[in-house]
Amino acid sequence: MSVAQAIERKIRDAMPVVHVMVENESHRHNVPPDSETHFKLTVVSESFAGKMPVRRHQAIYAILSEELAGPVHALALHLFTPEEWDARGGEVTASPDCRGGSKHDPEFSR
């Protein structure tokens, strides 16, 4: 099972969800091909109702503690109630390109 599949399975098993999307964004970073280290996770759940963003994030960190202690280097979280998700039109912002030391960027290869 891939890391992305494990993340989705754990989220679905831990809470009732309306929508879950796990995007492997590792290819946008300076990592070997086919890496599974950088992810964007979008979760829509009624479980987030009445919770501030930090509490929502803490809930996800607890569910994914093994992955965060191991293969996952970065996890961008986009966590919504169904009402918030509908108000956004089912859209999340695009992730920015990696600004870290890239072997493809001459500025960082000096």
Side-chain angles (χ1 to χ4, degrees):
M1 177 181 311
S2 72
V3 175
Q5 290 169 325
I7 290 171
E8 182 170 349
R9 181 186 53 80
K10 284 189 169 185
I11 295 298
R12 288 188 183 280
D13 288 350
M15 65 175 57
V17 296
V18 173
H19 175 76
V20 176
M21 181 181 290
V22 182
E23 298 175 61
N24 183 351
E25 297 185 326
S26 302
H27 66 280
R28 301 177 71 184
H29 299 271
N30 187 22
V31 296
D34 301 320
S35 290
E36 288 189 287
T37 55
H38 296 71
F39 293 91
K40 178 197 285 190
L41 175 62
T42 304
V43 180
V44 180
S45 176
E46 195 60 49
S47 299
F48 298 138
K51 293 184 180 167
M52 298 297 292
V54 70
R55 295 287 184 221
R56 296 176 186 191
H57 285 232
Q58 289 170 337
I60 298 300
Y61 296 153
I63 294 166
L64 301 177
S65 61
E66 288 180 45
E67 289 74 16
L68 292 168
V72 176
H73 171 75
L75 181 64
L77 298 177
H78 300 269
L79 311 174
F80 308 99
T81 65
E83 294 77 18
E84 293 165 343
W85 182 245
D86 290 343
R88 296 179 65 90
E91 301 269 332
V92 294
T93 56
S95 297
D97 287 330
C98 178
R99 298 288 298 166
S102 171
K103 62 184 175 187
H104 303 294
D105 188 337
E107 179 180 338
F108 293 104
S109 60
R110 295 180 191 164

